[in-house]
Amino acid sequence: MTSSAKQILCISFSPIERDARVLRQIHLLSQLGEVTTVGFGETPVGATRHVQVPDGLTTLPQTLLGVAKLAVHAHKAAECSSPAAQWALAHAALLDAPEGGWDLVVANDARVLDLGFRLAGTAPVWADLHEWAPEERTHITSWRLLVAPFMVHLCQTYLHRATLVTTVSHGIVELYRERFGVDAKLMTNAGPYMELPVQASRDDRIRCVHSGAAIGGRGLETMILAFCKLPERFSLDLYLVSAADGGAHLAELRAIAEGVDRIRFHDPVRPDELPATLSGYDLGIFWIPPTHTNARLTLPNKFFDYVQARIGMAIGPSEEMVRELENYGLGIVSKSFDVHDLVASMESLTVEQVNRYKHAAAAAALPLSFDVQTAFVRGALEDMLAD
């Protein structure tokens, strides 16, 4: 590292080389200084230096002592007590910036806010919240009772101290403002602009695709059942990453689709290669039921991947996605998340409609690209580093 360059520490307790949002973040940060990343997995593209947290370390206080602290709401004592955070602090010498200080620290998600501020010293902190933290996994009873109050504590304690707070959708921006009084800014999951052509459909077959993680609760079973009921001219290709369950849910999905040759499973594709892979299809599919707040207010990576791929979309009545889809005329919305309504929204689609959605995606590709959607973030970061 050169002493004249701004020194930026980016913390994300995720496999960063597969985390599309953090990879885009690093790409931006690397234009402003030298980036040291802390997280799981190999060195991500754009990082000058990477401190690799050992695989298997949990990112919440899931030790016996940590759980006891959460149980009695000793939240201050529970800060930085997750095995991953403890490892990072024990190896703090690896995180020393030249001249003994960072120019900027980035904390990805509420669970690293405590660690981010501990390592920042006097440096400004950018808190990038990838979802509504208090309800990240409230469908799990133990999480709702033990971890959710800790997430609230971290947000209440640290968000007002952050120089910049960003999050992923309008609805979640409002939740952080209403609950914590934080002037959060919208930074969508938009990907970089891609120069890809519209590949017009010329027959009545409609080739559909879904990309993402094979995580329970996202309605993937219902999606497969809907395609089992759709006419033969509809096909579905899936590019799924195995979840932390060791691939158990992915195996369940394969079992549901067994014997239906119109439903095909593929190996996952790197985030930077995904739009080009998707561009050969007609419609991107995402029907996620509003089982919790984050699902209800989702505006995911795949929405923007479909736009950059120049393909149309079929979604459910998810308010954040519907807002953008209808604004740009990108596709169709089902009445509900029931199989019957999903099938009804699709079965009368024509090639002319599909091609119209593809051209609408081409028109939306620039305004819904990373550089346009995050221009204000770059300006804020430049100001933070100048100060």
Side-chain angles (χ1 to χ4, degrees), residues 8-28:
I8 302 168
L9 178 64
C10 178
I11 309 167
S12 179
F13 283 161
S14 65
I16 297 177
E17 81 278 7
R18 293 192 281 111
D19 191 322
R21 184 175 178 89
V22 181
L23 287 173
R24 292 191 294 267
Q25 190 185 91
I26 294 169
H27 174 73
L28 172 59

Side-chain angles (χ1 to χ4, degrees), residues 134-144 215-217 291-292:
E135 296 185 41
E136 183 183 334
R137 302 184 71 189
T138 47
H139 57 289
I140 299 174
T141 302
S142 60
W143 200 100
R144 184 170 64 251
I215 297 175
T291 51
H292 48 75

Side-chain angles (χ1 to χ4, degrees), residues 151-271:
M151 292 293 106
V152 171
H153 163 80
L154 292 176
C155 291
Q156 288 176 331
T157 303
Y158 291 107
L159 287 183
H160 72 279
R161 293 170 53 185
T163 306
L164 175 65
V165 178
T166 52
T167 193
V168 293
S169 72
H170 289 282
I172 296 178
V173 163
E174 290 305 315
L175 285 175
Y176 280 111
R177 287 178 179 168
E178 293 168 4
R179 180 72 181 274
F180 301 114
V182 175
D183 186 21
K185 305 297 185 185
L186 174 65
M187 180 175 135
T188 68
N189 281 313
Y193 178 79
M194 299 280 191
E195 280 285 358
L196 291 171
V198 171
Q199 299 188 36
S201 299
R202 291 181 172 82
D203 57 36
D204 68 347
R205 294 176 58 212
I206 297 180
R207 305 160 185 85
C208 301
V209 66
H210 174 89
S211 59
I215 297 175
R218 294 191 174 185
L220 301 182
E221 309 96 317
T222 307
M223 176 178 64
I224 290 173
L225 291 173
F227 273 85
C228 290
K229 294 177 179 293
L230 279 164
E232 289 286 325
R233 65 192 184 100
F234 289 89
S235 63
L236 174 65
D237 285 45
L238 299 112
Y239 294 83
L240 296 175
V241 178
S242 293
D245 61 1
H249 190 56
L250 179 56
E252 292 171 357
L253 299 174
R254 288 180 179 274
I256 295 170
E258 189 173 1
V260 184
D261 59 7
R262 294 182 293 115
I263 302 175
R264 297 175 287 267
F265 291 81
H266 302 269
D267 291 336
V269 176
R270 284 176 34 178

Side-chain angles (χ1 to χ4, degrees), residues 6 103 124 163 380-387:
K6 296 294 185 180
D103 296 296
T163 306
L381 295 175
E382 289 173 343
D383 291 343
M384 292 161 69
L385 290 167
D387 291 342

